[in-house]
Amino acid sequence: MFSTRKLTLIWIAVMLAAFAAGCKKKVPPPPPPPPPAAPAPPTEPPPAPAAPRITQFSAEPTSIQRGQSSTLRWEVAGQTNSIAINNGIGAVMATGNQRVSPNGSTTYTLTATGPGGNTTASATINVAEPPPPPPPTRTPPPTRSIVDRLSSDVQDAFFDYDKSDIRGDARDTLTSDAAALRSILADFPTASIVIEGHCDERGSAEYNLGLGDRRSTSAKDFLVQLGVPADRLKTISYGKERPQCTEANETCWQKNRRAHFAPGQ
């Protein structure tokens, strides 16, 4: 039998345990997990870069005789890493022109390479053999001198201010001059013709010498395309040193911007 004291102690211990259990805080349940994150919307890939565009690639003229020349002209738009033309020309700028003299019919291909790929264009120049020279014939000596023939049968070709391009009226003049020059050179088989390049008084002497040279060369190239023998045409530039009109106005200046023809020495 337990003694009264032991029973008392056991009872106190039981009461303390019950009290401690009743005072213990309840642990709250864990919070629910957060909802899953919504997936990110898909992103569209950036557009692929476009290939370069060749807006022009041409030859002018497209038909020549052996020994004559043609001019290639081109223009490329868009982003490029390299631009090249085959048949010995090589790398070129995005816009330009180049004179070529192929020995036979040739197709030139321009290739433009960029991040978006390659683009090509072609231009063909047809080269014909020059006609055989006519058999020699005995012709009577000319009744007029070469100076008289040039003065009466051949007209000056005129240019725009600071330009060396053959404009419309100069094309008509030089086309007529070509027939006259062929006739004159046939009548004077040992003669040559000098194409003089002239400028008006504006600009430095050095600049106008260069401009006059470009004008005489443009006139020569045009005449050669029309069948005038290139080896019997010479060029020289007088710049602004030999004006045929000395008044300071546009009418007079236009008269001085010209290609003039004279007999060679």
Side-chain angles (χ1 to χ4, degrees):
M1 294 297 291
F2 292 105
S3 65
T4 303
R5 183 180 180 183
K6 287 183 178 180
L7 289 174
T8 301
L9 291 175
I10 292 171
W11 182 84
I12 291 172
V14 171
M15 292 298 293
L16 288 173
F19 178 78
C23 292
K24 187 177 181 181
K25 294 182 179 180
K26 295 183 179 179
V27 178
T43 58
E44 296 184 0
R53 293 181 295 109
I54 300 175
T55 57
Q56 180 188 17
F57 186 50
S58 62
E60 183 182 352
T62 57
S63 297
I64 61 174
Q65 292 183 0
R66 187 186 301 276
Q68 296 179 347
S69 62
S70 177
T71 299
L72 295 175
R73 302 183 188 277
W74 64 88
E75 184 174 345
V76 179
Q79 187 176 357
T80 61
N81 297 330
S82 65
I83 306 172
I85 302 175
N86 65 344
N87 290 317
I89 297 179
V92 296
M93 302 296 290
T95 302
N97 63 81
Q98 182 161 329
R99 192 175 297 277
V100 293
S101 300
N103 290 324
S105 297
T106 302
T107 296
Y108 293 87
T109 300
L110 183 148
T111 302
T113 303
N118 298 339
T119 305
T120 62
S122 298
T124 299
I125 301 173
N126 298 306
V127 180
E129 293 290 340
T137 58
R138 299 190 61 173
T139 58
T143 58
R144 292 190 297 159
S145 70
I146 188 171
V147 174
D148 291 339
R149 295 279 297 276
L150 288 173
S151 177
S152 62
D153 300 344
V154 180
Q155 306 299 315
D156 290 350
F158 295 97
F159 296 84
D160 288 329
Y161 172 69
D162 200 28
K163 300 291 185 181
S164 60
D165 298 328
I166 305 297
R167 66 191 195 187
D169 61 334
R171 284 177 172 266
D172 296 338
T173 299
L174 290 174
T175 299
S176 176
D177 287 346
L181 289 171
R182 290 195 301 268
S183 176
I184 293 171
L185 291 174
D187 291 342
F188 297 87
T190 62
S192 62
I193 304 296
V194 176
I195 306 174
E196 302 173 354
H198 295 270
C199 306
D200 63 38
E201 65 187 47
R202 294 171 290 181
S204 68
E206 180 180 3
Y207 178 82
N208 280 306
L209 281 173
L211 179 58
D213 181 70
R214 294 193 294 275
R215 286 174 174 170
S216 61
T217 300
S218 293
K220 176 183 177 180
D221 290 343
F222 189 89
L223 291 169
V224 168
Q225 293 179 13
L226 296 176
V228 181
D231 60 341
R232 300 183 66 185
L233 294 177
K234 313 298 180 184
T235 61
I236 190 171
S237 174
Y238 289 114
K240 62 179 181 178
E241 303 304 323
R242 295 190 179 184
Q244 67 172 354
C245 182
T246 57
E247 297 176 7
N249 57 58
E250 178 56 33
T251 301
C252 186
W253 290 333
Q254 175 63 96
K255 294 179 180 178
N256 293 332
R257 299 193 299 263
R258 71 196 194 281
H260 179 72
F261 300 85
Q265 301 297 324

